Amino acid sequence: MSALTPYWLAAGIVFAIGFVALIASAHGLRKVLAVSLMTNGAFIFLVATGTRGESPDPLTHALVLTGIVISVSATALALVLMRRLHEAWGVRTLDEDSEQ
Amino acid sequence: MAGIELGAAAFDWLLATMIVVLAALAAFARVLLTAIAGLIALGLVLAIAWARLGAVDVAIAEAVLGSGVLGGMLLKAWSGFAASAVDDDASMHVAPGALVLLALPAVLIAIGTVYAGHSADALGIGDAARAAIGATGVSHPVTAVLLDYRALDTLMELAVLLVAALAALSIGRIRLRARAPEPALEALLRLVVPLLILVAGVLLWRGAHAPGGAFHAGAALAAAAILVLLGWQQLAIGRALAFAGLALGVTVFSVLGALMLALGGLLDWPAEHAGSLILVVEIAATISIAFALLLLFAGGAPWPRAGEDQR
Amino acid sequence: MNVLDIVAAVLMLTGLVFFSAGTAGLLRFGDTFGRMHALTKADNVGLGLLVTGLALIDGSVRGAVELMLIWLLVMFSGATACYLIANRLTREMHDGRD
């Protein structure tokens, strides 16, 4: 049990919550939220990794910074795609037998 | 003092609990708007956690990007769905029995993460990074990693942002609704937008010696532009300006990096000019990041397409 | 732990009490107007107390000015957001009656 244990636990649990929600959710917007949760779980793990040792590790911080930017842009593109699907065909879920 | 250590540990556990609770809210709330609000709040609590763990750059970026810009995008997407007068689909599309089966790998993931965290050794790259920082032209370690040691990664990241913005421009349709003027909102924006632009400039300049840099500055600029878009429902950007702004960062970065082939290696800034070169690259990157995030938020091209009208 | 630290701690704890009162109002009041009223007023005062405590701990003039500026900005944007929501609600209520 180190000083970072709460953050290891948070990282794993948040990632697992996002994983379950991604598979279980039907609505497209909820799937986007779930992927964002998995990303955040990975970030918590990375930053906590960079905190061990004498002084903070700038490499993991730079990795997470890059990750945040890329995750936001990928989420934005996913939202644009879903918006277009919804406008063109009224689709809100990704099921094959959803309403047309 | 043991009392302070106990208090610090309690604070860490409190933060971790809040993070897990907000994540559960964002994943499983019945009402979709509550889930989105949970994710926005999670971004801010994570920013506190990053600051607590000593990652101040990440904290600023999480607050601006992961909570501010992302929250705005999610709320905009939600309002697009809500306007169709059908309530959001909160149902799970796997059976409850299958959900229990899913819980098993989830628990294993959680346990595995805790085990991995405890058993890995400290990396120790930080000391080597700090030792060599004299030749990088900047004094802040994270900026040195982003724009000198791992400059290629940052160039690729700018390219990813550019591709995402281009995809949004081609796929999406922008929706601008003229509405009645709101004097209170306009008064607030007239105060806040210039301040945000100033904050962006400060963040960009401070990136060399303190937490900050091109990404934070670009995100703050994008936030200012998004506020203008939301407040006045106008986006007066033509095709030429948009493409020039989007391409500027990657172009300047790769041209300067290629020029370095003559002096040493690709993207290998020489020690005596590294500071100025990095500043030029960061300015170009800030502009591009701002354009990309703004267009990703707008969700489409603000100029009329051939053969279609705007509505 | 000198006097300044104790005063700052008392100020910040009082600020937390105000935040809790605002959240209690958010959860307990029946309609949206009452909730916004409680939240905006209590959170602004709570933030002001928090900011004053932090400025005392920081000790520099520049830090105090920056923190005060943050408090002013939060008050402005909070008040405007509260007004916008209330305006929208009032319009919806009147449209419903027509």
Side-chain angles (χ1 to χ4, degrees):
Chain A
M1 172 87 50
S2 77
L4 286 172
T5 303
Y7 295 108
W8 304 127
L9 272 173
I13 295 177
V14 167
F15 189 89
I17 287 177
F19 173 68
V20 172
L22 176 63
I23 300 182
S25 299
H27 198 269
L29 203 46
R30 287 185 182 270
K31 286 193 192 280
V32 168
L33 290 177
V35 172
S36 193
L37 282 179
M38 290 171 74
T39 320
N40 278 325
F43 289 158
I44 301 175
F45 184 81
L46 274 174
V47 175
T49 310
T51 313
R52 296 166 311 172
E54 299 306 312
S55 37
D57 185 357
L59 193 61
T60 48
H61 296 344
L63 272 175
V64 171
L65 193 47
T66 307
I68 291 179
V69 173
I70 295 194
S71 128
V72 167
S73 53
T75 305
L77 187 54
L79 290 176
V80 167
L81 277 171
M82 273 201 323
R83 179 71 192 272
R84 196 78 189 102
L85 278 174
H86 182 63
E87 279 174 9
W89 293 292
V91 167
R92 279 195 326 276
T93 71
L94 297 177
D95 297 333
E96 284 133 17
D97 52 346
S98 63
E99 73 280 7
Q100 282 308 318
Chain B
M1 295 185 348
I4 291 186
E5 275 174 21
L6 201 62
F11 184 62
D12 284 332
W13 280 101
L14 179 65
L15 265 184
T17 311
M18 284 173 71
I19 290 173
V20 168
V21 166
L22 284 173
L25 194 68
F28 300 124
R30 299 254 83 204
V31 179
L32 186 52
L33 189 56
T34 310
I36 295 178
L39 191 69
I40 298 177
L42 176 65
L44 290 174
V45 174
L46 273 180
I48 299 180
W50 302 148
R52 169 86 182 105
L53 289 172
V56 185
D57 301 72
V58 184
I60 300 176
E62 179 78 49
V64 180
L65 281 172
S67 183
V69 173
L70 183 64
M73 290 172 177
L74 286 171
L75 286 174
K76 185 163 182 288
W78 173 83
S79 73
F81 281 99
S84 67
V86 182
D87 41 272
D88 47 85
D89 193 342
S91 59
M92 308 281 163
H93 71 93
V94 301
L99 213 56
V100 171
L101 267 180
L102 265 183
L104 184 59
V107 167
L108 286 177
I109 291 173
I111 293 177
T113 313
V114 179
Y115 177 72
H118 278 144
S119 62
D121 297 325
L123 292 167
I125 294 188
D127 302 323
R130 259 175 282 268
I133 208 169
T136 61
V138 298
S139 50
H140 185 56
V142 175
T143 310
V145 170
L146 278 175
L147 283 155
D148 195 323
Y149 300 137
R150 304 298 313 174
L152 188 61
D153 293 339
T154 309
L155 176 56
M156 293 299 123
E157 174 188 2
L158 287 175
V160 166
L161 205 50
L162 171 64
V163 168
L166 286 177
L169 278 179
S170 58
I171 296 175
R173 303 283 182 269
I174 202 172
R175 284 272 167 276
L176 292 176
R177 274 181 301 251
R179 51 159 178 68
E182 282 275 13
L185 178 61
E186 290 175 16
L188 176 72
L189 289 183
R190 285 200 172 93
L191 171 68
V192 165
V193 168
L195 265 178
L196 257 182
I197 298 178
L198 195 60
V199 165
V202 167
L203 281 173
L204 175 62
W205 187 254
R206 280 172 47 122
H209 57 86
F215 292 103
H216 311 87
L221 265 186
I226 288 174
L227 282 176
V228 171
L229 172 62
L230 288 174
W232 283 277
Q233 293 291 319
Q234 281 176 11
L235 193 56
I237 295 183
R239 188 178 270 118
L241 181 61
F243 287 141
L246 283 175
L248 188 65
V250 176
T251 311
V252 168
F253 207 153
S254 23
V255 163
L256 281 181
L259 282 177
M260 292 305 121
L261 274 171
L263 292 172
L266 186 66
L267 288 172
D268 193 1
W269 318 123
E272 62 276 12
H273 298 303
S276 340
L277 283 170
I278 287 181
L279 184 61
V280 169
V281 168
E282 283 206 298
I283 292 176
T286 303
I287 296 174
S288 275
I289 293 169
F291 268 100
L293 287 172
L294 170 65
L295 289 169
L296 279 169
F297 178 88
W303 50 84
R305 320 178 77 88
E308 257 185 47
D309 72 283
Q310 203 78 76
R311 317 244 164 266
Chain C
M1 287 283 272
N2 54 1
V3 179
L4 218 55
D5 282 343
I6 297 180
V7 169
V10 165
L11 280 173
M12 291 200 287
L13 281 173
T14 319
L16 285 183
V17 167
F18 273 91
F19 273 117
S20 312
T23 311
L26 175 67
L27 294 172
R28 297 277 298 169
F29 280 174
D31 73 325
T32 314
F33 291 111
R35 287 191 208 125
M36 284 195 302
H37 177 89
L39 205 58
T40 316
K41 280 194 178 357
D43 277 6
N44 281 338
V45 176
L47 185 63
L49 289 169
L50 203 62
V51 154
T52 315
L54 286 172
L56 281 178
I57 292 182
D58 181 59
S60 67
V61 174
R62 175 183 161 162
V65 168
E66 281 180 357
L67 286 167
M68 285 296 146
L69 190 57
I70 292 175
W71 181 44
L72 279 176
L73 280 176
V74 170
M75 278 204 293
F76 268 127
S77 50
T80 310
C82 176
Y83 162 76
L84 286 173
I85 298 177
N87 205 11
R88 175 63 177 268
L89 258 180
T90 313
R91 250 186 290 141
E92 276 180 8
M93 280 167 32
H94 284 161
D95 287 344
R97 268 190 221 134
D98 289 342

